[in-house]
Amino acid sequence: MNELVSSSTPSDMPSSPAIHLQKLQARLLAGDPSARQELERLALLSNLQALTEEATQAGALREHRFAPSLPLIGRAVAALRTALFAISARWPLRVLIAQQTQVNQATARALAESLKLNQHLLARIEALEARMAELERERHG
């Protein structure tokens, strides 16, 4: 989450997101105008970042493992299910798993790139807003 904040430098970054949020809250309560902007940036990007991380972690599919569910004969039933699965579905399913995993990984990469682009565009918008405010002050000052 810390990389979402443009106004901080690596040397003044808190050690955890919780500490960063506490400091941001204190700045907000103290009336720091840049804290509101930083909070808006965090709100806009944090959900996208969480979804990107989730997609990256959950991208690889795996075959189902049959577990014993019956008390005495559970292992034998699980072994029989595994054998039947190996005969009937394992090979075509592996192809589908590989294809879907590639789609999931490509989607996670696209989300990561989208997050980077959004961060860049928000920084540009903030710079333009600051420049516009500066020009307004010069015009009226």
Side-chain angles (χ1 to χ4, degrees):
M1 186 182 312
N2 289 342
E3 66 271 5
L4 298 178
V5 181
S6 66
S7 62
S8 300
T9 60
S11 62
D12 68 353
M13 279 293 175
S15 58
S16 75
I19 293 172
H20 176 70
L21 288 175
Q22 287 175 344
K23 288 184 177 185
L24 182 58
Q25 181 182 23
R27 287 176 41 214
L28 196 62
L29 292 174
D32 182 351
S34 66
R36 183 189 60 80
Q37 189 176 41
E38 194 172 322
L39 186 61
E40 287 176 4
R41 171 182 277 249
L42 284 171
L44 288 170
L45 295 176
S46 63
N47 287 341
L48 183 56
Q49 183 177 13
L51 289 171
T52 302
E53 290 169 1
E54 182 181 332
T56 300
Q57 292 172 0
L61 300 178
R62 289 162 193 62
E63 289 182 32
H64 176 72
R65 302 273 184 224
F66 293 100
S69 59
L70 301 173
L72 298 172
I73 59 169
R75 285 188 177 180
V77 170
L80 179 62
R81 284 180 173 174
T82 300
L84 289 173
F85 176 77
I87 294 169
S88 63
R90 177 166 285 148
W91 299 112
L93 187 61
R94 282 185 178 174
V95 171
L96 294 175
I97 286 174
Q99 289 173 352
Q100 187 62 51
T101 297
Q102 287 177 343
V103 169
N104 294 352
Q105 290 169 343
T107 302
R109 285 192 304 273
L111 278 171
E113 289 302 313
S114 174
L115 177 62
K116 288 178 189 176
L117 177 62
N118 283 338
Q119 289 171 326
H120 173 74
L121 292 174
L122 280 173
R124 293 278 310 213
I125 289 169
E126 291 167 358
L128 289 171
E129 286 175 343
R131 178 69 178 138
M132 190 173 73
E134 180 183 324
L135 289 171
E136 286 291 323
R137 282 191 299 273
E138 288 176 6
R139 184 173 153 226
H140 295 296

